[in-house]
């Protein structure tokens, strides 16, 4: 009986050592595939601030793809949740710099809501979740962020060549149309 007891302990100890690396790797895998939200200092009542009822899209105002993307969002934003700020303008420049984006040569855009900022593919997915009939895009979170961001970076590097560039920032009209 004592032999059986020792055997069980050895099996349990071996099982524990075999599962420990897997169990300890699980949080790492999720942390690696999910982008940590960046807390930023924004006026709590301004768009994107903690107390604000609006989300803020900080975009490249001279990029045709980015402007069209904002137009796409604006047309589907029935509740008027989103506000748009080009990062090249005085309003968006400090926020872009705070997020590590060079406003003169942006490699990403950002979405800020509830005092939290997301960039690259995570920003795209957070925006899509706020749009009617686009909530299904949460499924893309199963694709590791490294892969999603690599695809995002490929498009970002080539966006001016593929979609064009304007000489001046495009802003929404007062009725929020593009």
């Amino acid at each position: 009986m004592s032999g059986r007891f020792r055997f069980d302990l050895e099996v349990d100890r071996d099982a524990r050592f075999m599962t420990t690396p897997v169990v300890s790797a699980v949080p790492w895998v999720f942390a690696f595939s999910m982008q940590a939200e960046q807390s930023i200092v924004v006026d709590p009542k301004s768009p994107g601030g903690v107390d604000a009822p609006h989300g803020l899209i900080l975009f490249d105002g001279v990029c045709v793809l980015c402007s069209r993307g904002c137009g796409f969002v604006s047309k589907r934003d029935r509740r008027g949740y989103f506000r748009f700020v080009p990062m090249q303008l005085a309003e968006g420049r400090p926020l872009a710099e705070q997020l590590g984006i060079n406003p003169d040569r942006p490699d990403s855009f950002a979405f800020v809501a509830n005092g939290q900022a997301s960039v690259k593919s995570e920003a795209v997915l957070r925006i899509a979740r706020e749009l009617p009939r686009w909530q299904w895009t949460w499924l893309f979170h199963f694709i590791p962020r490294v892969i999603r961001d690599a695809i995002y970076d490929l498009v970002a590097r080539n966006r001016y060549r593929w979609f064009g560039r304007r000489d001046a920032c495009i802003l929404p009209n007062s009725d929020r149309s593009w």
Side-chain angles (χ1 to χ4, degrees):
M1 183 140 173
S2 65
R4 186 175 190 277
F5 182 72
R6 283 187 187 153
F7 178 74
D8 287 341
L9 280 178
E10 297 228 355
V11 169
D12 288 343
R13 188 175 348 143
D14 290 343
R16 187 184 68 211
F17 287 124
M18 288 171 47
T19 59
T20 300
V22 173
V23 171
S24 65
V26 169
W28 179 83
V29 169
F30 283 116
F32 190 64
S33 66
M34 302 287 290
Q35 175 170 344
E37 306 265 339
Q38 294 180 6
S39 292
I40 59 169
V41 180
V42 177
D43 177 6
K45 296 193 185 325
S46 72
V50 176
D51 298 334
H54 303 287
L56 176 72
I57 297 176
L58 185 67
F59 70 103
D60 180 355
V62 297
C63 170
V64 172
L65 175 64
C66 302
S67 299
R68 285 184 183 165
C70 288
F72 176 89
V73 169
S74 183
K75 285 179 187 173
R76 287 154 183 81
D77 181 22
R78 294 184 190 132
R79 60 189 173 128
Y81 175 70
F82 294 100
R83 298 295 179 261
F84 309 91
V85 176
M87 62 184 71
Q88 290 88 351
L89 298 183
E91 210 180 332
R93 185 171 285 279
L95 188 54
E97 290 170 348
Q98 187 176 1
L99 294 171
I101 302 170
N102 178 351
D104 298 318
R105 298 197 60 186
D107 61 353
S108 180
F109 80 107
F111 175 62
V112 184
N114 301 319
Q116 301 289 314
S118 297
V119 295
K120 297 188 179 190
S121 66
E122 190 63 29
V124 172
L125 295 178
R126 281 189 63 205
I127 291 167
R129 283 192 307 248
E130 296 292 335
L131 296 174
R133 296 192 302 220
W134 286 86
Q135 291 86 9
W136 60 270
T137 57
W138 68 268
L139 291 168
F140 286 106
H141 277 105
F142 288 110
I143 300 170
R145 187 190 62 181
V146 188
I147 295 170
R148 288 186 281 131
D149 282 351
I151 295 167
Y152 181 95
D153 289 339
L154 174 70
V155 174
R157 272 192 311 274
N158 295 292
R159 71 187 185 278
Y160 295 143
R161 188 170 4 137
W162 294 347
F163 301 99
R165 178 185 172 118
R166 296 195 167 102
D167 293 330
C169 289
I170 299 297
L171 297 170
N173 298 320
S174 59
D175 65 353
R176 297 179 15 89
S177 67
W178 290 80

